[in-house]
Amino acid sequence: MSWRIAVRHRTGYQYGSPARASYNEVRMTPATTGDQHTLATRIDTQPDCRLLRYVDYWGTVVHAFDVHVPHTELVVTASSVVETPGPPPAPPDVGWETLDDPPVRDRHAELLAPSRYVVAEPEVSEVAAGLRAHPPAEAGRRAVGWVHDTLEYVRGVTLVGTTSAEARAGGNGVCQDFSHLALAVLRAAGLPARYVSGYLLPVRGAQLDQPVAAESHAWVEFWAGDWLPLDPSNLSEVAERHVLVARGRDYADVRPLAGIYSGPPAQALGVTVELTRLR
């Protein structure tokens, strides 16, 4: 059964002295897909700015804005109401001959190759080679299971720029690192795979109208005749508790707030996410 979830995501920067100008892109608007529907959405900025809305190459809704007045704080608040999907259907029955077909590989070439944070390495290729003894959908599940067993979920030991190879070598990380390593294994096995950013309502039996503190979340989708979602950091089913925002090759394509500014170093970054189950 689908849920209706309200999302409030607030990100703020503070500066010791006024920043003179900034140029920003916001990817915080949940996607409307075949099984997820965004019913309402709003982006507010402080200082108040005019927003330019567009859809990027990967199909993500982006709001761009510039600030041309001196400011000591930049705050972006995204509010939305989303109907999330129920459990995904059973995967199609396709074999490796479908995945290895040249037109299929060409169509998904960008999602089979290494990317900024997804690194090709011999250790991962060895694991991936063994997965091809299983049908593609099962190989994808086993790839994500291997990542879940390989990494320990530990906060604060990795950075936004940590690669899949660095996370594997360190043996720990957060959902972003789990997802990057899962992408490395899936792509090495010949399964097109993409990074998904969004939110996860952490309480399985969430009460209606009770706000829950949450965080941005990441998981993966791989193609085996259809796009199949998997959550490598907790192995939970990607269904009604997940809110999809953006897709891309890795985190570099889906950063919630990205930009440049002219001014002193940012002294603080505050991020809060609040999810409320409405139905």
Side-chain angles (χ1 to χ4, degrees):
M1 183 182 73
S2 67
W3 287 8
R4 182 171 293 180
I5 297 175
V7 180
R8 187 178 186 274
H9 181 167
R10 181 186 185 276
T11 297
Y13 291 91
Q14 292 181 337
Y15 311 98
S17 57
R20 293 179 292 278
S22 66
Y23 308 85
N24 309 277
E25 290 183 341
V26 181
R27 288 171 172 82
M28 298 183 191
T29 300
T32 292
T33 65
D35 49 11
Q36 175 179 286
H37 303 282
T38 299
L39 305 179
T41 183
R42 178 186 176 93
I43 303 288
D44 294 299
T45 66
Q46 180 186 346
D48 188 34
C49 300
R50 183 174 181 177
L51 302 174
L52 170 67
R53 181 187 184 278
Y54 69 94
V55 177
D56 72 10
Y57 176 80
W58 302 103
T60 301
V61 174
V62 183
H63 289 87
F65 67 94
D66 304 341
V67 183
H68 294 288
V69 296
H71 54 286
T72 57
E73 185 176 65
L74 174 66
V75 179
V76 177
T77 303
S79 306
S80 56
V81 177
V82 185
E83 284 191 350
T84 57
D93 183 17
V94 301
W96 286 107
E97 67 280 358
T98 299
L99 274 296
D100 295 337
D101 187 41
V104 171
R105 292 186 62 84
D106 183 65
R107 185 167 71 247
H108 296 296
E110 292 172 299
L111 300 176
L112 284 165
S115 55
R116 181 172 178 178
Y117 299 128
V118 179
V119 178
E121 50 177 338
E123 295 85 350
V124 168
S125 296
E126 183 178 351
V127 173
L131 295 174
R132 289 182 65 95
H134 305 279
E138 178 62 21
R141 285 191 290 268
R142 287 175 178 262
V144 168
W146 177 82
V147 171
H148 183 77
D149 294 339
T150 299
L151 297 182
E152 181 181 358
Y153 194 98
V154 180
R155 300 175 187 272
V157 297
T158 55
L159 303 172
V160 167
T162 298
T163 68
S164 61
E166 292 167 339
R168 185 198 59 77
N172 43 44
V174 293
C175 60
Q176 175 178 312
D177 306 297
F178 279 72
S179 296
H180 283 153
L181 185 55
L183 294 177
V185 182
L186 290 163
R187 292 175 187 176
L191 291 164
R194 59 195 183 190
Y195 186 101
V196 184
S197 72
Y199 310 103
L200 172 65
L201 206 162
V203 181
R204 292 184 181 274
Q207 298 298 309
L208 297 182
D209 301 319
Q210 294 295 315
V212 176
E215 297 176 330
S216 294
H217 192 55
W219 59 97
V220 301
E221 294 174 343
F222 71 96
W223 194 87
D226 198 358
W227 288 104
L228 308 176
L230 290 172
D231 191 333
S233 61
N234 56 39
L235 297 185
S236 65
E237 186 174 57
V238 178
E240 64 276 357
R241 294 192 299 131
H242 288 75
V243 177
L244 187 157
V245 172
R247 296 178 171 116
R249 292 163 296 182
D250 58 28
Y251 177 76
D253 291 331
V254 303
R255 291 178 294 172
L257 179 59
I260 58 173
Y261 69 94
S262 173
Q267 290 189 331
L269 167 64
V271 179
T272 60
V273 176
E274 184 180 89
L275 304 182
T276 305
R277 183 184 176 189
L278 304 178
R279 191 184 69 188

